[in-house]
Amino acid sequence: MKLDLKNRAKDYKRPFLIAGPCSVESEEQMIQMAEGLAEDGRTALLRGGIWKPRTRPDSFEGLGQKALPWLINAGKSTGLPVTTEVANAKHVELALKAGVDVLWIGARTTVNPFTVQEIADAISGTDITVMVKNPVNPDLMLWMGALERFAKAGIDDLIAIHRGFSVYNHPKYRNVPSWEIPIALIEKMPEIPIICDPSHISGKREGLLHVSQKAMDLNFAGLMIETHPTPDSAWSDPMQQVTPEELFAIIDQLVLRTETISEEAEDFIDLMRAKIAAQDDKLFELLSHRMKLAEEVGIYKRENDITILQQEHWRSIIENRLQQSDEFHLTHEFVRSLMDAIHQESIRHQTKVMNPSLK
Ligand code: PEP
Ligand code: MN
């Protein structure tokens, strides 16, 4: 089945909502789940993991083939299309035979081009929608590469799912969102709709609203959120799952902003953009002037045999600027990377005048 999200942008209401448990556990669980979701009318696709690629071998790894009919029947009895993760050609064959409507590729599969190709070959010739999660590591090319392998296999209904990137012991996220990576994907592959998976990014219920709102503000097409009739007793990912009621409470709280802007808003934004561009002009002039001063210092150092890098001096400059960051309402991270970039450029200019023959 084709979801055709990119062409139905006008007649579906954002967020395109995918919900259902991390893992299919029983027929009753799936029916209860599907009914709880379908009643409200906002769920577009029912998810359920059958084959679970778990990091440790003693975790629950999914019930496998026997759980497929439970997912299918839950979908049929409520009219919801269904989706599950496939991680090899055999899974594809079984899922397609059972009547799964949409397939998704998990983060641990996207990292492996051999497996992605095997799955793409197995799906080739069908007109099914494929959703590709980002790889566990923050590698945009690997994510794009997987999408390209499916496109080359003739799959023209592709969706990207942003589920965050692995990190060791982060205080806030189970997988850090690194929003710049999905933003870069949107820039490079604008035809691919993107859905956010706040469950695996956050790793806990309390973080779902915040991540979902951010995804909506970045104009993502939809959300995939894990739901369970009794989340605390879920066989996998219990801390991040919510009941359907909790899910809809989150969706109700989302502020949905639009990309299209009124004429009045456009005038205001154009004016502000012009003001910002004028500031950027000044910034560039200042930076250019600053580098000229650095070159003069470089010439002086050359003539007096002084090294370019003066560790102690630079350390004190950074420290002073970091101390000023609050006063200027700039984050420490920004000040740190701005000063590092300026320093590196300054060294390039000084190197140029000091050793003109070295490139
Ligand atoms: C999942 O969606 O249940 C899952 C295993 O996700 P990921 O591949 O993002 O870890
Ligand atoms: Mn999960």
Side-chain angles (χ1 to χ4, degrees), residues 186-351:
I186 294 169
E187 211 177 289
K188 291 199 185 294
M189 298 180 120
E191 71 288 0
I192 308 252
I194 185 156
I195 283 176
C196 181
D197 169 352
S199 305
H200 291 90
I201 291 178
S202 176
K204 48 188 183 302
R205 282 160 217 152
E206 302 72 41
L208 294 177
L209 176 61
H210 164 83
V211 178
S212 303
Q213 182 64 56
K214 175 91 185 184
M216 290 299 97
D217 287 341
L218 290 173
N219 209 18
F220 279 31
L223 299 169
M224 183 197 248
I225 297 184
E226 288 185 340
T227 52
H228 193 283
T230 51
D232 285 330
S233 59
W235 297 359
S236 56
D237 292 349
M239 305 212 318
Q240 68 195 31
Q241 301 204 58
V242 289
T243 62
E245 295 71 32
E246 287 164 334
L247 168 73
F248 297 124
I250 290 170
I251 304 299
D252 286 338
Q253 287 174 75
L254 288 176
V255 182
L256 293 176
R257 302 174 167 106
T258 150
E259 198 186 14
T260 45
I261 47 182
S262 68
E263 245 173 63
E264 188 189 338
E266 205 164 340
D267 288 348
F268 174 74
I269 289 173
D270 281 350
L271 177 71
M272 293 307 285
R273 281 182 180 154
K275 284 188 182 180
I276 289 172
Q279 295 301 315
D280 286 348
D281 284 344
K282 281 193 204 159
L283 264 177
F284 268 63
E285 270 167 38
L286 283 174
L287 284 170
S288 165
H289 186 59
R290 190 201 185 284
M291 294 309 157
K292 284 216 174 66
L293 294 174
E295 283 178 18
E296 279 177 39
V297 174
I299 291 169
Y300 184 84
K301 284 180 180 168
R302 181 184 67 202
E303 262 137 40
N304 294 280
D305 283 336
I306 302 171
T307 59
I308 294 179
L309 191 60
Q310 310 273 303
Q311 284 285 13
E312 264 320 301
H313 171 64
W314 184 249
R315 197 167 298 140
S316 76
I317 290 183
I318 295 257
E319 251 163 48
N320 290 342
R321 293 297 166 189
L322 284 173
Q323 270 169 18
Q324 283 179 305
S325 57
D326 288 347
E327 182 191 334
F328 285 92
H329 305 292
L330 300 169
T331 62
H332 272 231
E333 292 76 15
F334 174 70
V335 172
R336 175 92 234 182
S337 47
L338 176 70
M339 292 309 290
D340 279 345
I342 288 177
H343 188 216
Q344 277 161 26
E345 183 67 1
S346 179
I347 288 176
R348 274 182 220 114
H349 281 257
Q350 292 191 40
T351 307

